[in-house]
Amino acid sequence: LLLALLAGAIPAPALAHASLVAADPAPGAVLEAGPGRVRLTFSEAVSPVGAGLTVTAPSGRSASAGAPTAAGATLGVAVDGSERGTYRVAWEVVAQDTHPARGTYTFSVGATGPAPPGLDARGDVGGISRTGLLLVAAARWAHLLGMALAFGVLFHGLVTRARDRRLELLVRAGLGLLVAAEPLALAGQSVGLGLAPVELATGAFGRVLALRLGGALLLWAGLGAMRDAGGRGRAALVGLGLLVALVDGASAHRVAGPPLLAVGLSGLHEAAMAAWAGAIAAAVVTARAGGAGRIAIGSLAVLTVSGLLLAAGHLRSPLDLLHPGYGLVLAVKVALVGAAAGLGLLAARRWEAGAAAGVIALAALLVSLPPPR
């Protein structure tokens, strides 16, 4: 029955990160007369941010006639196409999975000419600037590492009933990372799209950011309550960690299948990562394996199975592991997970902890990159 459920849970390939799949007028088209409207179709539902969708005339003036309108995966704007020459179309959107994206293309009326000045997205990676991508990945690394040190170590204490001041310090370090990650994530998205933070804070991304930050603040309050209650309440805080993991699952790369199943699978994957890395960290700082070894082995098994199911949803074939972005990062991450497991068997705890931190860093980069199309 378990194998049948796992087989049924394997998601079919689907897109993640909003990418442009159709445009009218088409990129590079030369029209006899100006279009009355520009319409873009994306791989998933999008919401405009900033200017949303703009069209610049050959003279450099705005050719957009009114505000852009969004309907599901379609974004459009009325256009004054009375000038002859080349027009530039630029868009800035946030996808249904909360990942932002921007892009640009040109079309011409009557004859081609020099493109008007505007957004240059040629150096972008994953729909945002390289600097923005690095900041977003750093923020995600801080968040995931915070999940491991805070909720993963709390789970370790719940299972092993360990009481150690050093473990409390780990949890508080994780709490600090969770709080710091969200302003850094907002700054990264702002830099990546070239927008003011307030323009992103009110959309889907802002709601997820607020929920994550709210979870961190609830943990802060819960730790104080747990201390006053003589250590009781770990189970409630571990449950809070599961809720935060589900929030992250709701903003992860989309895969086909029932939405709740996809969110649950992504949340389970992150929760298993936190339990695995948290157990390793606890074993390092206390110099005692105790029940940490059993927790690490069990959570690594869940991490592996859920990771394989998610990979099946994002990769079209094993050859996608050679993709010079998402695929290669995933391949290196899988290899490093294997190395960490081997170091764990050798009881090389510090090296295992270093490998786990590397796995989390690669996971942070992975969720910031678009999977192969």
Side-chain angles (χ1 to χ4, degrees):
L1 177 61
L2 176 61
L3 290 175
L5 289 173
L6 288 175
I10 295 177
L15 300 180
H17 276 62
S19 59
L20 185 67
V21 296
D24 182 20
V30 180
L31 310 178
E32 293 183 1
R37 188 172 185 82
V38 167
R39 185 173 63 181
L40 308 180
T41 303
F42 296 88
S43 55
E44 59 180 281
V46 296
S47 300
V49 291
L53 175 59
T54 59
V55 182
T56 305
S59 63
R61 69 172 179 84
S62 174
S64 303
T69 58
T74 302
L75 185 63
V77 67
V79 173
D80 174 8
S82 58
E83 292 187 24
R84 289 174 58 86
T86 297
Y87 290 71
R88 181 186 293 275
V89 179
W91 67 89
E92 295 167 324
V93 298
V94 171
Q96 191 176 26
D97 63 3
T98 76
H99 290 97
R102 66 180 187 177
T104 181
Y105 76 90
T106 61
F107 68 89
S108 301
V109 175
T112 59
L119 171 68
D120 185 0
R122 289 176 296 180
D124 287 2
V125 179
I128 60 175
S129 70
R130 294 178 184 273
T131 302
L133 176 66
L134 290 176
L135 288 173
V136 168
R140 193 65 171 166
W141 180 79
H143 176 77
L144 293 176
L145 188 59
M147 290 287 291
L149 294 182
F151 296 112
V153 173
L154 280 171
F155 178 70
H156 169 272
L158 178 66
V159 173
T160 64
R161 301 183 182 278
R163 300 290 186 270
D164 193 305
R165 175 64 178 169
R166 290 168 293 186
L167 296 182
E168 294 179 13
L169 293 176
L170 274 183
V171 173
R172 294 189 180 279
L175 171 61
L177 287 170
L178 288 172
V179 172
E182 302 316 315
L184 183 58
L186 182 58
Q189 300 288 39
S190 300
V191 171
L193 290 179
L195 299 175
V198 69
E199 295 181 274
L200 289 168
T202 55
F205 170 75
R207 290 192 293 272
V208 169
L209 184 149
L211 287 171
R212 288 175 182 158
L213 189 56
L217 295 178
L218 281 174
L219 173 61
W220 192 351
L223 289 174
M226 188 177 72
R227 183 181 62 248
D228 295 341
R232 294 189 298 272
R234 276 190 174 86
L237 294 184
V238 170
L240 173 63
L242 290 174
L243 290 177
V244 175
L246 288 175
V247 169
D248 291 340
S251 63
H253 292 142
R254 289 287 186 227
V255 292
L260 290 179
L261 178 61
V263 170
L265 187 59
S266 296
L268 177 64
H269 187 67
E270 181 174 321
M273 176 281 302
W276 171 63
I280 295 171
V284 169
V285 300
T286 61
R288 296 193 306 270
R294 294 190 298 274
I295 295 173
I297 292 173
S299 55
L300 182 60
V302 176
L303 184 71
T304 301
V305 173
S306 58
L308 288 173
L309 293 174
L310 289 171
H314 295 312
L315 302 180
R316 298 162 299 187
S317 75
L319 292 178
D320 278 341
L321 291 173
L322 302 178
H323 182 270
Y326 187 94
L328 284 178
V329 173
L330 177 59
V332 175
K333 178 192 169 189
V334 170
L336 196 55
V337 169
L343 291 167
L345 292 175
L346 295 174
R349 299 300 178 196
R350 293 185 181 276
W351 286 98
E352 183 187 15
V359 170
I360 294 173
L362 290 171
L365 179 57
L366 199 64
V367 298
S368 305
L369 293 171
R373 299 286 190 258

